[in-house]
Amino acid sequence: MSKKYVYFFGPEGSDGNASMKNTLGGKGANLAEMSNLGIPVPAGFTLSTDLCTAYYKNNKTYPAEVQGQLMENLAKMEEVMGKKFGSSESPLLLSVRSGARVSMPGMMDTVLNLGLNEETLKGLEANGGKRFAWDSYRRFIQMYGNVVMGIDGHVFEHEIDTLKKEKNVKGDLELTAEDLEELVKRYKEAIKKQNKGEFPTDPMAQLWGAINAVFGSWMNDRAIKYRDMYHIPADWGTAVNVQSMVFGNMGNDCATGVAFTRNPSTGEKVFYGEYLVNAQGEDVVAGIRTPQQITLSGSRKWAEENNVSEEERKANFGSLEEVMPEVYETLVEIYHKLEEHYKDMQDLEFTIQNNKLYMLQTRNGKRTAKAAVRIAVDMVKEGLIDKDTALLRVAPEMIDQLLHPQFIKDEKKKAVTEGKMIARGLPASPGAASGTVVFSAEDAEKAKEAGRKVVLVRIETSPEDIGGMDASEGILTARGGMTSHAAVVARGMGKCCVSGCGVLNISYAEKTFEVDGKVIKEGDTISIDGGTGEVFIGSIPSEAAKFEGDFGELMTWADERRVLKVRTNADTPRDSQVARDFGAEGIGLCRTEHMFFEGDRIKAVREMILADDEAGRRKALEKLIKHQRDDFTGIFRVMEGLPVTVRLLDPPLHEFLPNEEESQKEMAEEMGLTVEQVKEKVEELHEVNPMLGHRGCRLGITYPEITEMQARAIFEAACDLTKDGVKVFPEVMVPLVGKKEEFVMQKEIINRIAEKVFEEKEITVDYMVGTMIEVPRGALTADEIAEEAEFFSFGTNDLTQMCLGYSRDDAGKFIKVYREKGILANDPFASIDQDGVGQLVEIATKKGRKVRSNIKLGVCGEHGGDPASIEFFHKTGLNYVSCSPYRVPIARLAAAQSAINNDLIRDVKVKIEDAYNVIETGLKSLVKLIKKD
C-alpha cells in the first residue's frame, strides 16, 4: 500500500485532526480540526511534512504516488466548492501556504489567487466584476513572481507606484479596472526584463511551481535563521496547504482580518483584532492600509489614542461590530467555540465574502510574557485548565521579557514636559528601549557585533529583517498594525516595538526620518515605549519591571510543584538582594576573587603576588581581610536563614596583573618597583593553559595563608552576625579538586581556622565544607572525595570546556560550522552536553551518594539557569541549581515544568506497564485454555 502524502479537509470533515501536527503542520492540523468541528472552512488539502522530507532527501523530486493523490484531492475540492480548476466559466482559484508544526510567522512563502490566466480571468470577471478580477490577477502575478520566480518585490512596487503617480492617486483602491489591466501588462514586461521568461499560464504548472517554492522556502535564509533562534530542527520540514480561495476584495460586503481571542500584549480577556473592508489577507499584516478594529470598544479606544474624531471614526474606520453586525456575531460564536475547544488563546484569520464568514486559520496565539502569565492564571480561575497546564503554558525563556526595563516614570514625564516626545504609534510589544537609530537589518547586526545598542527604524518590516530585529533593542515602524509582521515577531522575541507610527517620513536613501520638521539622522539616539507607543528624542533612564499579581501567583504554583531548589550566583550584597527578591533560596556560588577587584583592594592583591616570601604575603593579606569580612557580612545578612556557598580563590594569579606595558609602568610606580621587576613577575606567572595550571585549590596548597585569610574572614563575619541574632549558614567550597588529598589539605586549614575563630569569638556556627566538581578527574573519583566532602557543586562551565577540549571563546569560531555539519546538535555552553558533561555529572552523583547518602548536590555553572539543562539536573536527582540573579525566576519555572514533565512520563510508563501486564495475563489465560482443550 502506497504511503499517504495528501490529506483532505472540507465542510464534510477531514482526513486529519489537531493531534496530527507532526504530519500536517500546525496550520493543516487546525484546518482539519475546524472542519471536524463544523466551522466554515474553504475546502482544501495538505501535503504532509513527510513529503517535504522526501522532497529534500530525493534531490527535490517527489515520490511517484504524489501526483495521483494530489489530482484525487483536487477533484474533491472542485466537487465541494462547485468550481473547476482552470475553468473559464467558474474557475476554482487556490491559495498555497506553508505550515510547519510550530508557528514561524512570515518566515516562509505564500501564493494567493493561483490558477489565473487570460481565460480563467473571464470567469472571475463574470462572477465578481472586472475591477475585482484584474486586481486579483495583478496580486497573483506580484506574489507568484516574487515567491516562485525569485523577482525582487521592489520591482513590482516600483511599477504600481509609478502608475499611481501617473494617475494622480494615492491608494491602490483608487486604481480603476483599466488601470489594473495596464498594471498587469507592466508586471509581465518587468518579468521579461528580469530575464525570467514568460509568466506561466498553465494552472497545473502554476500549482506545482508554488508547491515547490513553499517547500523550498523551508531552507531559505530567513527560515534557517528563525529556526536557529528558536531551536527548531531542520528535519521537521513544513507542510503545504492548498486551499480554495475565498475573496475579501470583491466589494464592500467583503473583508479580511486577523483576531485574537484575548489581548496578546496584556492578556486581558477581550476579543481583539483588526480587519480591512475589500482587501485580501496579506493587506492586513503588510501594513499597506490602516486596519480597522473588530470591536466597537476597540475602535473607540483606537480613535482616542490617534486623535480621530467620532465622526471620522464612524465614516472611515468603523468596527466590524458596526459595519457587519451579523458576521460579527458569527465570528464571536466561533471564537468562543475555538477557545473552549483548544483551551488556549487563539490567533484567528478569516475572510468575509459577500457577507459570508470563512475561517482560514486558528492557532495558539503568540503572546508577550505578561500576557502569557495572565492568560494562564485567568484560565485556571475560569476552570479551563489546571495549575500544571498553566505552568507548562509559559515558556521559561519568556520570563526574561518581564525582566526587561521600563522607563522611570518621573524621567519619562520630564521628557514629555521638555517636548522630547515626537510621535506616537501603536503599542505593539511592551518594554522600553533606547539606542542609536539604524535603518537596515544589516546595520543593526553590525552594530550589535560592535557592542552598540540600536533601535531599528523601518517603513515596515519584512521577514528578511529577522536578524536585524533580533540584534536591536527595539523596533519602530511607520506602517503596520498590532498584527503586522513587526508586532507579531517582536512579541515572540520579547522585543520592544512601536508599529504604525504613520507621522514618520522615512528616507532610506538619506538615512533619516522626519517628524513635524524635526529630522532624526542615523546615529541619533531615540527612545521608544512599546507599552504606550510613544517615541522620544534622546535617551530616557529605565528601571527593572516589578513582579506582582498574576506573576507572583504563577511563581507560587511553581514553587509548590518543583523539587529542585533554586539558588543564585552572587558576589555582592546588592546582587544577593536582587536574587532574593526574585525568589532565590540561597547562594550557590559566591566568587571571592570578584571582591579583590573592588577599589584599592587590587593593590593589596598585587602586593601579595609580588611578595618574595610568606611574611610579605601575610602582610599584604592582612590588608584584604577586613574587606573580605565586610563583604561576607553584607551578603550573609541579606541571605539570612539561607545557605551561602563561598568559593575560595580560584583564578590564576596572573589575572590580577596587567599585560599592557603602560599599565605595568603605572603599577611599578604605584608600588615602588621597577618596570623590569613587574615584567619578570608577569612572565614568571604566565601559563600556556591557565585552566590547567596554578589556580584553584593549587593556590591554597602552595600558599596556605590565602586559604587561612579567606576562611577567617568567612567565619568572623558568620560569628559576629550570629551574635546579633542573624541566622547564617556558610558553605565553604574548595575549587578545582581532582584528588581527595587536595581537598583534605584545604579542609584541614578551613576546620583549623574555624575552631580558632569560634574559640576567639566564644560562639560556634554550623558550616559545611565541600568542593566544586569542575575537572573530569574530580567526577571520576567522586566516591573518594565524598568521604571527606559534605557537598558537591558542579562547575559546568569549566567542566564543559575540559570535557569538550575547547573554550566558549574558541567555540564561537567554529561552533556554527559544527552545527551545520551535524557534529553538534546545539551550543553545549548554552545547554548542557548530556553525552559528555552530563555523563560526568551522573557518574559523580552516583558515586558521591553511594559513599555519603545525604551529600548535597548542586550546579553553579551558567547551565543552572538554562531550562533544558534544568530538566536534565532534575532527572539526575540534584538538590539545587544556581544561576545569575535575573535568571532565578526562569529557573524556578523550569524546575516546576521538569517536575510536571517527569510525572507525566512516569504516568505514561505506568500505563504502558499496566497494559503489558493485562496483555500478559490474558495470553497466559489463553494458553491455559488451549492446553485444557
Side-chain angles (χ1 to χ4, degrees), residues 720-786:
D720 290 344
L721 286 172
T722 302
K723 284 183 177 181
D724 291 341
V726 178
K727 293 180 179 178
V728 182
F729 299 100
E731 299 175 348
V732 185
M733 183 159 69
V734 181
L736 225 71
V737 167
K739 292 175 69 71
K740 173 185 173 182
E741 291 77 9
E742 290 175 321
F743 179 77
V744 169
M745 288 180 185
Q746 288 290 280
K747 181 182 177 183
E748 184 279 323
I749 297 172
I750 295 163
N751 286 341
R752 172 165 51 81
I753 296 298
E755 289 305 314
K756 191 177 289 188
V757 172
F758 296 162
E759 185 178 337
E760 292 168 1
K761 298 286 185 178
E762 297 181 341
I763 193 170
T764 61
V765 174
D766 289 336
Y767 69 96
M768 298 174 71
V769 184
T771 188
M772 195 170 185
I773 301 292
E774 51 190 325
V775 297
R777 195 178 194 284
L780 297 174
T781 62
D783 49 348
E784 297 174 23
I785 297 171

Side-chain angles (χ1 to χ4, degrees), residues 866-887:
D866 169 60
S869 302
I870 288 170
E871 180 93 21
F872 170 77
F873 298 138
H874 172 90
K875 291 176 183 175
T876 306
L878 303 190
N879 298 103
Y880 69 87
V881 294
S882 189
C883 57
S884 59
Y886 285 90
R887 292 197 73 81

